């Protein structure tokens, strides 16, 4: 794992966007995945700017989403699908070759998982997986206790996740499950970029990067990835 400590959130965003651009320049037919949440907002914005200025060609690149709250649709505030539409896909003047976005409101969630698996199997493995980290060490919705060998799956949300989820959609929704790419798919990615910002992430980042590899901290598995970058700001790196 390569640790890149950045001065602040903006520098973290710049470095992460730069690593994403590098993956696509090296392999224009890349399959890439970005997370939702607060952390990637700056990175995604810089990525869009590069594409819209003509500095990065994504016309051969495919995009697949990482995770979604079960029950939330693409019009629901706080859904990953809406985030991706508003921050990324809807802002691109030159679109990706193709996108596959998880539908958290699908009636048949088993088929939704199968479709995600099929997409990644067909066009993958992932060239680049950008990931945030939850306060319990989750990646996507690979919650603590997750089976490292899983592909896409539905999972009950942990208490930690339930405690923080209202920052995305207030009291409007009370999802109990998440749908997510599995750690098996993430670990097969050619490059992984883990991003983290802020003092509230310092404790879990220490466990993930310096602690033992354990299902109780899913992000710790990244220690075993052969090409993983942790791009973090100084506040998040304070306990490393
Ligand atoms: C969310 C999502 C993850 C995200 C993580 C951190 O619940 N399931 O994909 O990376 O938690 O979110 P944030 O960046 O808002 O701290």
């Amino acid at each position: 794992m390569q640790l890149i400590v950045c001065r602040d959130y903006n520098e973290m965003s710049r470095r992460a966007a730069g690593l994403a651009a590098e993956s696509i320049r090296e392999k224009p037919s890349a399959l890439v995945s970005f997370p939702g949440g607060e952390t990637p907002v700056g990175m995604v914005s810089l990525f869009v700017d590069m594409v819209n200025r003509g500095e990065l060609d994504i016309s051969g690149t495919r995009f697949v989403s990482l995770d979604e709250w079960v029950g939330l649709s693409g019009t629901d505030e706080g859904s990953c699908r809406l985030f991706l539409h508003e921050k990324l896909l809807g802002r691109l003047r030159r679109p990706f070759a193709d996108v596959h976005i998880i539908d958290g409101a699908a009636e048949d969630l088993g088929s939704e998982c199968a479709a995600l698996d099929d997409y990644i199997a067909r066009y993958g493995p992932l060239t680049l997986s950008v990931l945030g980290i939850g306060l319990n060490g989750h990646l996507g919705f690979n919650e603590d206790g997750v089976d490292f060998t899983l592909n896409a799956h539905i999972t009950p949300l942990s208490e930690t996740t339930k405690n923080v989820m209202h920052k995305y959609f207030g009291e409007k929704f009370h999802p109990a499950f998440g749908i997510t790419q599995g750690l098996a798919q993430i670990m097969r990615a050619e490059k992984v970029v883990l991003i983290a910002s802020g003092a509230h992430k310092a404790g879990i980042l220490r466990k993930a990067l310096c602690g033992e590899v354990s299902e109780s901290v899913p992000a710790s598995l990244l220690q075993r990835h052969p090409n993983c970058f942790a791009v973090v700001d100084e506040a998040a790196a304070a306990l490393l």
Side-chain angles (χ1 to χ4, degrees):
M1 165 122 37
Q2 283 195 54
L3 176 64
I4 301 176
V5 179
C6 304
R7 208 173 40 250
D8 55 20
Y9 178 80
N10 290 339
E11 193 190 335
M12 179 207 76
S13 302
R14 251 193 326 275
R15 293 298 293 271
L19 285 167
E22 190 180 275
S23 282
I24 292 170
R25 288 192 184 111
E26 280 169 13
K27 187 176 180 183
S29 64
L31 175 63
V32 303
S33 183
F34 297 165
E38 291 178 337
T39 316
V41 170
M43 182 212 84
V44 168
S45 172
L46 293 168
F47 181 89
V48 168
D49 290 346
M50 281 190 271
V51 174
N52 288 348
R53 284 198 300 258
E55 295 165 11
L56 181 64
D57 180 4
I58 58 166
S59 61
T61 303
R62 290 188 160 80
F63 181 89
V64 60
S65 62
L66 171 68
D67 60 357
E68 184 59 284
W69 307 93
V70 166
L72 269 65
S73 77
T75 54
D76 289 331
E77 181 195 339
S79 70
C80 300
R81 193 180 181 123
L82 185 63
F83 170 91
L84 290 172
H85 178 71
E86 287 183 343
K87 307 284 185 212
L88 178 66
L89 306 174
R91 288 194 54 222
L92 290 167
R93 281 190 219 125
R94 300 171 173 93
F96 285 107
D98 190 36
V99 298
H100 181 91
I101 308 295
I102 301 167
D103 180 4
E107 273 185 26
D108 183 348
L109 291 168
S111 298
E112 203 57 26
C113 287
L116 184 57
D117 283 344
D118 287 350
Y119 195 83
I120 295 173
R122 183 161 180 197
Y123 299 114
L126 291 161
T127 311
L128 168 72
S129 173
V130 180
L131 299 164
I133 182 169
L135 289 176
N136 60 344
H138 74 198
L139 299 174
F141 281 127
N142 289 277
E143 296 280 43
D144 40 309
V146 68
D147 178 343
F148 285 167
T149 65
L150 288 179
N151 283 328
H153 60 281
I154 310 290
T155 187
L157 299 177
S158 69
E159 286 311 309
T160 313
T161 300
K162 286 181 180 169
N163 286 335
V164 299
M165 68 187 181
H166 300 293
K167 72 176 177 175
Y168 305 113
F169 37 71
E171 291 299 323
K172 203 167 170 194
F173 304 109
H174 299 274
F177 294 88
I179 176 169
T180 185
Q181 288 178 24
L183 289 174
Q185 289 156 325
I186 290 170
M187 287 299 283
R188 280 195 293 270
E190 289 164 25
K191 180 158 86 182
V192 172
V193 176
L194 178 72
I195 52 176
S197 168
H200 63 301
K201 294 283 173 82
I204 193 62
L205 202 62
R206 179 182 162 84
K207 284 189 188 162
L209 270 51
C210 312
E212 68 169 308
V213 176
S214 153
E215 285 86 353
S216 61
V217 182
S220 65
L221 184 59
L222 295 179
Q223 293 178 32
R224 295 192 183 146
H225 192 282
N227 191 28
C228 178
F229 297 80
V231 185
V232 306
D233 67 12
E234 281 178 2
L239 301 177
L240 297 179

